[in-house]
Amino acid sequence: MTKRRWRTWLCGALAGLCAMLSGPAAVEAQGRPHWADPPRLEQLSRDDDRLDVELGNQMHERMVEGRYFEAASLAERLLDLRQRALGPEHPETLLAAVHAARNHRRIAEYHRAASLLERVVTALERSDIPRWWFFSEQEWLALTYRDMGDFRRAEAVYKRLLAEGAQMGGTADALRGLAALARVQGNLDAAAQIYERELARQEQENTKQRSSGTTYDSTDLGVALSDLGEVYRLQGNHAAAERHLERAVKILEARKGTAELSLATALLHQALLYRDTGDDTRAEALLQRALAIREKELRPTHPDVAEPLVHLAALAWEKKVYGRAEPLYRRALAILQQALGPEHPRVAECLSALEGLALGRGKLREALPMRIAAVAAEDRHLTRLLTSGSEREKRAFVGRLERSTGATISLHVISAPTNGQAAALALTTILRRKARVLDAMTDSVASLRRKMTAQDRALLDRLARIDAELSAEAYRGPAGRPGSLQALADERQSVEAEVSRRSAAFRADQRPVLLEEVQAAIPEDAALIELFVYRPQKPREKPREQLGAPRYVAYVLRRSGAPAFADLGDARAIDAAVDELRRALSSPSGDPSRLARNVDAQTMARVRPLLGSARKLLISPDGALSLLPFGALVDEDQRSLIERFTVTYLTSGRDLVRLATPAPPGQEAVVIADPAFDEGAPEPRVGELPCEDEECLALRAVDRSLLRFLPLAGTTKEAAAIGERLPGARVLTGEGATEEAVKRLAGPRILHIATHGFFLPADAPRTGAPGGRELDAVARAAAASSVVQEDNALLRAGLALAGANRRAHRREGGGEDGVLTAAEVSGLDLSGTQLVVLSACDTGVGETSHGEGVQGLRRALAIAGAETQVMSLWRVGDQATRHLMVAYYDQLKSGRNRSDALRDAQLSLRGQRETAHPFYWAAFIVSGNGGPLQTATPKPPAGPVAPGAKGRGCACDVPGAGGDAALRGELAFLLAGLAAAARRRRAG
């Protein structure tokens, strides 16, 4: 081996020992691995050998200095050279890939790092070398999975290493990896248990060493104490944290220079503990010690030096010693930018701190460019991260940006309300981050469907199978197996992550949306209203006292002009007012006008002055406002908003860009109604009806005592009427209205389902649980039927189809259970479906999630690809709903767009005395594309309506809404209503 080559090898070993950016020490402190030893580069030509040595030396020097951004580029050049000259699986090529992967991970380019490490591990697994020789590479792969949010795969790698390590006599690194993984996910209890287990093991090893004559405690014991002490600090267990950290520091100090970097980390943990308990003097002294050690051991420009600098700056900021805080932050920023690149999350955090510091000093001109740079870096990083992981893991990543988003809005609303650049930045940030996880999940599935290989099809089929099994388990009743639910949920997360991974390459060109793109998609007569919940940050307060209570803000954007905004006020007060109004609207017995006026005064009254001449409102709500029928609000002139505006709901204003280029429409229209819930089984006697009170008998909702679904024979009339208005429609009723039939659909142009809908609360107690009387009907139904408790909202929302009341018998035969949950709906292929109408109860209801919309059927249909959804916000009456739906399709047939058609149909009901109460007309909303339907070539008629179940009669007429009128009588009703609607439209 040449002298230069040995120098390269030595530099690599030194770099491995010094590169301690993050992760288990045993992973970082690796020189040349066993499987690549000794160096074998004899096949290189003289020129290639010279270039190889030059690139290797430069790369290792940058790694020693902590300049990983530059090192990654050099490593890629080295890898390219070796692949070309030696082949892709030569040990030296694989070693170059490892170096490249480690540097890519350090600069947060996780997908490239994971790809390289997967390739290396696969190649080494095919070789005949011992597995423990490449444990380090597997640990790096687990670290990379963890950092990119693919927690399931990270855990799988660690558990495999733990099992294999137990056979080899070494499990410490895998245990620490699992503990760090739990900590990253916020599961501090699990992290503490693992660290306690590792500490116990180290105590035993240390005792053995002491008994054999060793005069000092081991470094590993000190590290274990430090790790556990930090978790105790995060848990708020300060006394235990102090004991463990004091002992850790004492042990590591006694090692006299052989464990300096571990000592620096323990000192940092100890400093943060004293900062938390208010002892800033001790905290500062410890931070200074940690800084001095890292500067000495790692060089002053290493990125790990930035950590104590940032904490020292924060302490100075707390004391309002701005002249000391700013240079510390700026030094940390310069180190991080050079070492990790301009888009690393730590760079963004440092920029955010400098921005907050500038605002605290009243220097808006300095603060705004920093906020712009920080947000840009975060958004680019987020775009990369969202191409991997399960939905839960994606939501965790987006959640980390909550404070940054709030800071961006606060910069505008609090510090610079008249600054146009700050307003544009705030609105752009909302547009880029709101409902981002929903978009990522939708795009993942859509990307696979567009290319659809056999493997992709199998993956989506597997996801659908898991959803079906999850749904069956969730509704199994007393026989339900919580363990099975958890296992299926875990499997689903793994498959979701695989869907994201397989579709990542097809979404690699995604970029954050531009404000100008959204604005160009807004019609001339419309206004986009972005509603958002944020926590205001008061820049002149201490960092730990800056966050205020959540508030709603509204941004209004027209096709031309600058964004306008209104600060709506305290979110809790608005949410309480919305909840009270929704309760009033869900019953026809009272007058909700006063409550509707109250909510309007807190929300839309502050927005209307910003709307100009707009008469079409594109509302992207947030929080409880997602469940609010805006058309039912009452303005200062005592007029309902539906008289003045057409409302279309969006998950995010970003939807407008996607909806501007819709998928080609499907051909078929499908109408499903009046499912045979009992599949022809004998009906219960009158005295044994599941429910007999007026509320239960009158609504398309689940039984309050037994999660049992009552017949809806009246919906057969609805299906017949709508089928007549949709030429060539396929109408399925009775025993033909099955779950299997829905799942077999492939992109119908229009899908109309008239049946029972439901959304079950997450906290529904079991039968006999205290407080059960206070639950509403749906919650009591869940309790009585012992629905397995599940935190997945998509399992608690759904539609009842044929056989739903005999689901236990159907499961025994291995068929579908007749309950189509939202989780199963999300797996439907509705690409090209222009309109889905769910003529049922509570279909637009779900679990509201700030920034991520409504978790329920609304979200599921978006993931499935539906362009527009018409759904309900409370339990609706059968006859009035039938009138509304027939009127809606009449309006669509006349050429009205999807949102105007619903408004006209609602006004027709509102114009009739019997249905003037908003309970009857305001429940349904349009979500998605409110524009006109695209035309499709009609198919021949599909034949007569399938017969419904016999001997049932309608159990869903709301008292006071009139009798069970024949269909021929509806025409006069609708004509009178439409005439009234026309008069109001002209008046508006």
Side-chain angles (χ1 to χ4, degrees):
M1 187 185 303
T2 65
K3 186 179 295 185
R4 286 183 304 174
R5 185 68 59 201
W6 277 110
R7 180 173 181 270
T8 301
W9 177 86
L10 182 59
C11 286
L14 291 173
L17 290 170
C18 295
M20 304 289 290
L21 181 60
S22 60
V27 175
E28 299 284 358
Q30 290 290 327
R32 189 176 180 90
H34 288 291
W35 53 264
D37 210 12
R40 297 187 298 275
L41 288 157
E42 294 80 4
Q43 300 174 38
L44 291 178
S45 68
R46 179 173 297 180
D47 290 342
D48 283 346
D49 183 73
R50 184 181 299 110
L51 180 58
D52 187 280
V53 171
E54 181 181 340
L55 289 172
N57 288 341
Q58 291 178 10
M59 177 190 70
H60 291 306
E61 286 169 3
R62 301 299 187 279
M63 291 168 64
V64 170
E65 295 167 358
R67 294 161 64 179
Y68 300 120
F69 190 71
E70 297 173 36
S73 176
L74 291 165
E76 285 287 357
R77 291 178 60 192
L78 184 64
L79 174 61
D80 183 66
L81 168 66
R82 292 185 181 178
Q83 283 183 147
R84 174 174 51 79
L86 303 174
E89 295 198 5
H90 190 282
E92 297 298 332
T93 304
L94 296 178
L95 183 58
V98 169
H99 286 311
R102 292 182 179 186
N103 285 297
H104 281 298
R105 176 188 163 262
R106 286 162 173 146
I107 62 176
E109 292 179 352
Y110 303 125
H111 294 289
R112 176 59 175 162
S115 175
L116 289 168
L117 287 167
E118 286 167 352
R119 171 182 148 192
V120 170
V121 170
T122 300
L124 293 175
E125 285 175 336
R126 285 199 298 263
S127 68
D128 57 356
I129 65 173
R131 287 191 61 84
W132 67 269
W133 277 20
F134 55 96
F135 271 19
S136 174
E137 285 66 39
Q138 296 176 75
E139 288 174 358
W140 270 87
L141 181 57
L143 281 171
T144 305
Y145 286 152
R146 183 198 75 185
D147 291 344
M148 67 195 294
D150 203 339
F151 301 132
R152 295 289 162 177
R153 286 206 286 177
E155 184 178 17
V157 174
Y158 279 130
K159 286 185 174 179
R160 186 178 68 186
L161 290 174
L162 194 62
E164 294 174 352
Q167 300 174 7
M168 305 290 180
T171 61
D173 296 334
L175 270 176
R176 292 185 64 205
L178 280 171
L181 182 63
R183 176 180 156 187
V184 165
Q185 296 178 83
N187 192 348
L188 296 178
D189 290 342
Q193 290 175 5
I194 298 172
Y195 280 132
E196 286 165 355
R197 175 182 166 188
E198 170 61 9
L199 177 59
R201 195 182 71 83
Q202 291 297 341
E203 294 276 20
Q204 290 178 351
E205 290 294 324
N206 194 66
T207 300
K208 290 179 183 177
Q209 292 179 16
R210 284 285 200 172
S211 63
S212 63
T214 304
T215 59
Y216 50 81
D217 294 315
S218 71
T219 299
D220 287 342
L221 176 60
V223 169
L225 287 162
S226 176
D227 288 340
L228 183 55
E230 173 63 1
V231 172
Y232 284 153
R233 179 188 75 84
L234 293 171
Q235 289 180 314
N237 188 353
H238 294 152
E242 186 171 26
R243 288 196 307 272
H244 284 75
L245 290 171
E246 283 182 352
R247 187 179 169 206
V249 169
K250 183 178 179 180
I251 289 173
L252 295 171
E253 284 177 332
R255 296 311 306 261
K256 296 180 180 179
T258 61
E260 290 299 283
L261 290 175
S262 296
L263 173 60
T265 300
L267 292 170
L268 267 173
H269 293 164
Q270 200 173 32
L272 296 177
L273 171 66
Y274 289 129
R275 183 204 63 185
D276 291 349
T277 55
D279 194 344
D280 290 352
T281 301
R282 292 179 72 180
E284 183 174 359
L286 291 166
L287 287 170
Q288 291 287 5
R289 280 189 66 193
L291 173 63
I293 292 172
R294 288 191 175 178
E295 285 179 326
K296 177 183 176 183
E297 299 293 324
L298 297 174
R299 299 190 182 189
T301 58
H302 194 281
D304 277 7
V305 172
E307 187 178 8
L309 286 172
V310 166
H311 289 307
L312 284 167
L315 281 178
W317 188 356
E318 289 279 347
K319 298 175 182 178
K320 296 192 175 182
V321 186
Y322 300 128
R324 173 167 168 72
E326 183 175 358
L328 289 169
Y329 276 131
R330 289 196 178 277
R331 182 186 166 196
L333 177 63
I335 290 172
L336 295 172
Q337 285 176 325
Q338 182 183 51
L340 307 179
E343 296 179 8
H344 195 280
R346 291 176 66 188
V347 171
E349 290 170 4
C350 208
L351 285 166
S352 296
L354 278 166
E355 175 248 351
L357 192 63
L359 284 177
R361 303 171 73 180
K363 297 183 177 182
L364 175 64
R365 185 172 292 183
E366 292 182 15
L368 187 54
M370 293 176 186
R371 172 51 46 191
I372 291 172
V375 167
E378 289 168 343
D379 285 341
R380 286 190 290 269
H381 184 60
L382 179 64
T383 298
R384 291 193 294 268
L385 285 178
L386 288 179
T387 59
S388 68
S390 67
E391 179 172 359
R392 182 177 296 179
E393 290 157 354
K394 286 178 168 68
R395 292 180 70 178
F397 270 117
V398 173
R400 295 179 192 177
L401 296 179
E402 182 179 339
R403 180 156 185 164
S404 169
T405 304
T408 306
I409 298 170
S410 299
L411 171 64
H412 170 229
V413 174
I414 297 174
S415 301
T418 61
N419 187 296
Q421 193 177 13
L425 176 63
L427 178 54
T428 299
T429 303
I430 293 172
L431 289 170
R432 289 179 173 179
R433 296 180 180 179
K434 191 176 185 182
R436 194 65 185 278
V437 174
L438 173 60
D439 265 13
M441 298 305 297
T442 303
D443 289 345
S444 294
V445 174
S447 297
L448 285 191
R449 283 189 177 135
R450 282 195 295 271
K451 71 182 187 71
M452 195 60 78
T453 65
Q455 287 180 314
D456 298 330
R457 176 74 268 170
L459 190 63
L460 292 179
D461 287 346
R462 183 182 171 200
L463 193 62
R465 176 186 59 77
I466 293 170
D467 284 333
E469 292 181 15
L470 269 170
S471 300
E473 284 292 333
Y475 291 86
R476 190 175 291 277
R481 300 187 299 274
S484 299
L485 262 179
Q486 186 58 54
L488 286 167
D490 290 346
E491 184 182 0
R492 192 185 200 284
Q493 284 203 65
S494 298
V495 176
E496 276 182 349
E498 180 64 13
V499 168
S500 294
R501 190 186 69 82
R502 288 189 62 82
S503 64
F506 301 93
R507 297 178 288 125
D509 59 347
Q510 285 187 347
R511 56 173 177 76
V513 72
L514 300 176
L515 181 63
E516 294 78 11
E517 293 173 316
V518 175
Q519 192 163 25
I522 300 173
E524 287 286 355
D525 58 348
L528 170 64
I529 303 173
E530 274 287 357
L531 299 163
F532 197 77
V533 177
Y534 77 106
R535 294 193 67 182
Q537 297 181 25
K538 305 164 190 175
R540 295 187 183 275
E541 300 294 332
K542 295 179 180 180
R544 282 179 284 181
E545 300 172 2
Q546 286 185 346
L547 283 181
R551 297 178 70 84
Y552 277 103
V553 65
Y555 282 91
V556 176
L557 188 65
R558 300 291 306 277
R559 188 175 179 87
S560 60
F565 86 101
D567 185 14
L568 302 185
D570 181 74
R572 282 186 288 254
I574 292 174
D575 288 350
V578 169
D579 289 343
E580 188 178 11
L581 173 59
R582 277 178 41 78
R583 285 194 296 272
L585 289 172
S586 63
S587 170
S589 59
D591 182 4
S593 300
R594 179 185 61 81
L595 298 175
R597 177 73 200 101
N598 177 40
V599 174
D600 179 81
Q602 295 186 64
T603 56
M604 292 303 294
R606 303 179 187 185
V607 173
R608 276 193 296 276
L610 311 177
L611 298 177
S613 60
R615 288 296 174 263
K616 297 183 186 300
L617 306 184
L618 308 171
I619 301 180
S620 170
D622 197 12
L625 296 179
S626 300
L627 305 179
L628 175 68
F630 283 87
L633 298 185
V634 176
D635 67 14
E636 53 274 1
D637 298 324
Q638 301 304 308
R639 299 174 66 190
S640 295
L641 263 60
I642 194 173
E643 298 180 61
R644 298 180 56 184
F645 302 104
T646 298
V647 176
T648 304
Y649 290 69
L650 301 170
T651 308
S652 163
R654 190 176 62 253
D655 293 349
L656 294 172
V657 178
R658 173 177 53 84
L659 294 172
T661 54
Q667 295 292 318
E668 184 180 34
V670 178
V671 180
I672 297 174
D674 189 22
F677 302 122
D678 292 285
E679 289 188 322
E683 287 297 303
R685 293 188 299 273
V686 174
E688 296 175 348
L689 282 172
C691 66
E692 296 176 326
D693 68 349
E694 290 183 349
E695 180 189 45
C696 185
L697 290 173
L699 301 175
R700 294 185 188 184
V702 297
D703 182 331
R704 69 169 59 193
S705 63
L706 285 175
L707 196 61
R708 179 179 176 81
F709 303 98
L710 299 172
L712 289 172
T715 60
T716 299
K717 299 177 181 178
E718 179 179 320
I722 292 169
E724 291 174 1
R725 288 156 174 80
L726 297 173
R730 181 155 58 104
V731 181
L732 303 172
T733 63
E735 294 186 9
T738 64
E739 187 177 356
E740 294 95 328
V742 176
K743 289 183 175 181
R744 284 197 300 266
L745 296 175
R749 185 170 65 93
I750 295 174
L751 174 61
H752 182 101
I753 303 179
T755 185
H756 287 300
F758 61 89
F759 176 72
L760 303 177
D763 56 353
R766 302 289 184 182
T767 303
R773 285 184 165 185
E774 286 70 41
L775 294 174
D776 64 18
V778 180
R780 285 196 292 277
S785 61
S786 299
V787 172
V788 176
Q789 302 302 294
E790 166 60 38
D791 66 355
N792 184 350
L794 297 192
L795 288 177
R796 293 186 274 109
L799 300 167
L801 294 166
N805 288 343
R806 295 179 59 79
R807 52 192 176 276
H809 301 286
R810 290 173 64 89
R811 286 191 204 104
E812 291 173 3
E816 301 286 0
D817 63 1
V819 176
L820 183 69
T821 65
E824 293 172 290
V825 169
S826 69
L828 300 180
D829 181 3
L830 298 181
S831 176
T833 301
Q834 295 186 73
L835 178 63
V836 175
V837 179
L838 299 183
S839 180
C841 299
D842 292 324
T843 51
V845 178
E847 210 167 73
T848 57
S849 174
H850 289 309
E852 273 299 321
V854 179
Q855 311 289 317
L857 285 166
R858 205 188 299 193
R859 183 182 189 86
L861 286 167
I863 294 174
E867 191 176 308
T868 306
Q869 309 159 26
V870 174
M871 46 187 52
S872 62
L873 297 177
W874 53 80
R875 279 164 261 163
V876 293
D878 187 45
Q879 183 177 341
T881 299
R882 187 165 70 247
H883 290 319
L884 179 70
M885 290 301 159
V886 173
Y888 180 55
Y889 283 95
D890 279 336
Q891 290 295 313
L892 288 174
K893 190 174 181 180
S894 71
R896 300 288 281 171
N897 69 40
R898 282 164 273 192
S899 290
D900 285 335
L902 183 63
R903 176 177 181 258
D904 290 345
Q906 289 174 323
L907 286 172
S908 73
L909 263 69
R910 188 176 180 273
Q912 301 301 305
R913 182 178 60 81
E914 297 88 348
T915 53
H917 193 286
F919 166 80
Y920 298 102
W921 58 263
F924 285 90
I925 62 170
V926 174
S927 179
N929 190 344
L933 291 170
Q934 299 180 62
T935 58
T937 304
K939 288 186 175 182
V945 176
K950 296 180 180 179
R952 285 216 179 98
C954 180
C956 296
D957 289 326
V958 176
D964 184 14
L967 188 60
R968 61 179 179 271
E970 294 177 1
L971 183 58
F973 179 94
L974 293 173
L975 288 174
L978 292 172
R983 289 195 298 273
R984 282 169 172 76
R985 197 162 60 246
R986 288 194 295 270

